[in-house]
Structure formats: structure tokens, C-alpha cells
Amino acid sequence: MTTVAGYSDAQLQELGLDPAKLPQHIAVIMDGNGRWARSRGLPRIEGHRRGVKSVRKIVEECARLGVGYLTLYCFSSENWKRPQHELNLLMSLLKQYVIEERSEIMRQNLSFRTIGRKEGLGEEVLAEVQKTIDYSRDNTGMCLCLALNYGSRGELVDAVQTIAQKVQEGTLNPNEIDEATIADHLYTRGMPDPDLIVRTSGEMRVSNFLLWQLSYAELWVTDKHWPEFRQEELHQALRDYASRDRRFGGLKG
Ligand code: IPE
Ligand code: IPE
Ligand code: MG
């Protein structure tokens, strides 16, 4: 199996990146596909299609940089409010991506997973997603996590329900519930919290994304729309990230 060669430390330095200061987990709110298309007189779906190209570029670049986890917000639980024709197109694009990307995911040795609720996604999409998860199960490279039909409040509701059931069954003592218990019942179980969250298209909000997990993530927002977000913008985000002083409530280190 061919895998993607990573950058050497010297190459990273040439890009202005410090290998010791790269985030382990990057989460991205890929916003602005519609605005990108509108500004060019194109239908919204063209923005989504072009957005898939950015996904490919950014996934490969993150893997090459040696990032451990990349979580991409693809479809929120609130996005069902959109017109049916846009939903149909988004779902078919998602299915197409998961099928077409399977060989790339294997080539790049990525482990693929998703977060979010299955309900509503459609059997065909779910079957293709599952196939890709199964194929990539033994891969040891970067974890590519797609947030599909994801909402953070819904995730917390699901976690509380499971925890409450365990308490009711007598398998969990309420006094022993701590932060780790909650983290273990979120869809992101087993993943480290994001260190860096990137949002494209300028909005200064988190739109129900990873509310628990983002507690100490560094925020980075760009006015660029997702379809025009490429390696250069990613490197810029990483350079800014490296210059931040993360204190976690303590004092300057
Ligand atoms: C992000 O782009 C993709 C999804 C939310 C599915 P948008 O479709 O939200 O684009 P804008 O925000 O309308 O420009
Ligand atoms: C956030 O974008 C969700 C995704 C990128 C999938 P939205 O376009 O749905 O966010 P709002 O509606 O502007 O908050
Ligand atoms: Mg949007």
C-alpha cells in the first residue's frame, strides 16, 4: 500500500510551521459554500461541489502534516431546515464522496469515522459510510471524522439518556459520574478534544458544534469561503495557532 509521505521537519520549517506546535486535533466548520456560489452567479450546489475539492485538499494536507485527528462539520442537525432539493443534492454528494474517497482513504492510511445521529441520513448513505468505516478499520494514520447530522445538544441528550439508563439498571453509581464519564458517552469517545477550531466565511459562532469538546480549543475564523480554503489558508491558521499562549486557566507558561 502506498501512503502519503509526510513533511520532514525541514520542510515544515520552510512553511513557517513548528513541528512541536502543531495541533493534535483540528475541527473545521466548513461554511460559505452557498455564498461562494452566489457571488459567482452559480447555484448553491456548485458551491457544495467545489467544497468537496477543498475537503480533499485539506484532508491530504493535514495527513501530510502529521495531524492526528481532523473533524469536519459536513451537515448539522439544524441543516434539515433547508429546502428539500438542496437536502437531496447534499445527500447525494455525501454518498458520492464516501464512495469515491474510499480508495484515497486507504491510500492515505486514514481511519474513517463519523459523529452524529443516523436517523434521517438514508439507508444508502449509511451503508456506504459503514463500508468505508469497515474498510479503514485497521488503518493507523490520521483519523478523519465526519460530523453528519451532528448537533452538540443532541449529542449531550443522547449521552445523558445512556448514563441515566445505566444508573437505573444499577451499573453506574451517580456519585461516580465525572467529566471522563460524560466524555466517554459522547459520539467523540476515544478522541482527544480539538486543539484548534477553524471556521470559514466569517461568522463568529459555533453553530451547535462540539460544545463540550471545544472548551479550550483555539478559535480561528477566516473570511474566505470554504470552496476557496486551501493549503495556504490552513498553513496560516496553523502559524497563528502556534503563536497562541494556551493557558487552560493557569498562568503564562
Ligand atoms: C456550508 O455552506 C455547508 C453546509 C452547511 C452543508 P453553506 O451551505 O452553509 O453556505 P452559506 O453559509 O449559505 O454560504
Ligand atoms: C454550520 O454551518 C454547519 C456546517 C458547516 C455543516 P451553517 O451554515 O449551518 O451555520 P449557521 O446556520 O450559519 O449558524
Ligand atoms: Mg452556512
Side-chain angles (χ1 to χ4, degrees):
M1 184 171 64
T2 50
T3 50
V4 175
Y7 285 117
S8 66
D9 283 3
Q11 285 172 319
L12 286 174
Q13 267 153 19
E14 257 171 52
L15 294 169
L17 298 171
D18 179 347
K21 288 186 176 170
L22 286 172
Q24 188 189 9
H25 183 176
I26 304 176
V28 186
I29 301 178
M30 309 184 290
D31 199 17
N33 293 350
R35 275 164 281 178
W36 179 87
R38 197 179 55 213
S39 70
R40 284 160 180 77
L42 297 168
R44 290 178 58 82
I45 189 64
E46 283 308 317
H48 297 311
R49 283 211 181 94
R50 173 77 179 221
V52 174
K53 292 193 178 170
S54 296
V55 169
R56 295 200 165 106
K57 297 276 183 207
I58 296 308
V59 167
E60 184 161 7
E61 189 63 5
C62 283
R64 186 168 283 157
L65 287 162
V67 169
Y69 299 80
L70 175 65
T71 299
L72 301 176
Y73 205 4
C74 301
F75 190 86
S76 81
S77 48
E78 287 72 34
N79 287 147
W80 296 111
K81 293 172 190 163
R82 296 188 178 200
Q84 193 58 45
H85 70 271
E86 179 162 344
L87 294 175
N88 294 343
L89 288 165
L90 279 171
M91 288 304 141
S92 75
L93 211 54
L94 174 60
K95 189 175 122 190
Q96 199 186 333
Y97 171 80
V98 174
I99 294 172
E100 286 179 5
E101 244 18 46
R102 210 168 278 146
S103 56
E104 267 304 300
I105 284 171
M106 297 311 290
R107 185 179 72 84
Q108 294 178 44
N109 191 25
L110 307 179
S111 83
F112 178 79
R113 70 183 278 175
T114 61
I115 52 173
R117 285 188 185 156
K118 289 187 172 160
E119 294 88 73
L121 280 178
E123 276 174 32
E124 286 183 24
V125 171
L126 289 173
E128 297 299 344
V129 163
Q130 192 55 47
K131 204 166 159 183
T132 307
I133 293 173
D134 293 341
Y135 267 53
S136 75
R137 199 171 293 282
D138 295 328
N139 288 352
T140 52
M142 182 181 81
C143 171
L144 170 62
C145 174
L146 300 190
L148 307 176
N149 189 18
Y150 176 87
S152 192
R153 289 183 168 189
E155 176 183 39
L156 288 163
V157 168
D158 288 352
V160 170
Q161 282 193 358
T162 312
I163 290 170
Q165 262 160 17
K166 289 183 181 173
V167 169
Q168 197 175 34
E169 288 160 4
T171 55
L172 183 64
N173 178 347
N175 297 322
E176 283 167 11
I177 296 173
D178 58 12
E179 291 186 11
T181 316
I182 293 175
D184 277 349
H185 288 82
L186 299 175
Y187 308 143
T188 49
R189 182 179 53 241
M191 294 169 76
D193 287 342
D195 303 292
L196 170 66
I197 173 168
V198 169
R199 182 165 188 148
T200 56
S201 230
E203 313 284 4
M204 298 288 178
R205 54 176 174 256
V206 289
S207 302
N208 203 15
F209 192 41
L210 302 172
L211 301 180
W212 170 279
Q213 297 88 335
L214 291 179
S215 295
Y216 268 103
E218 295 295 323
L219 312 176
W220 194 85
V221 178
T222 173
D223 283 336
K224 287 254 168 111
H225 302 308
W226 177 250
E228 55 198 4
F229 187 92
R230 295 297 159 88
Q231 287 94 328
E232 205 178 301
E233 287 73 28
L234 177 68
H235 295 160
Q236 185 58 49
L238 293 173
R239 282 190 289 268
D240 283 355
Y241 170 81
S243 72
R244 305 274 180 95
D245 178 25
R246 300 185 78 191
R247 292 188 292 277
F248 299 97
L251 299 179
K252 201 169 158 59

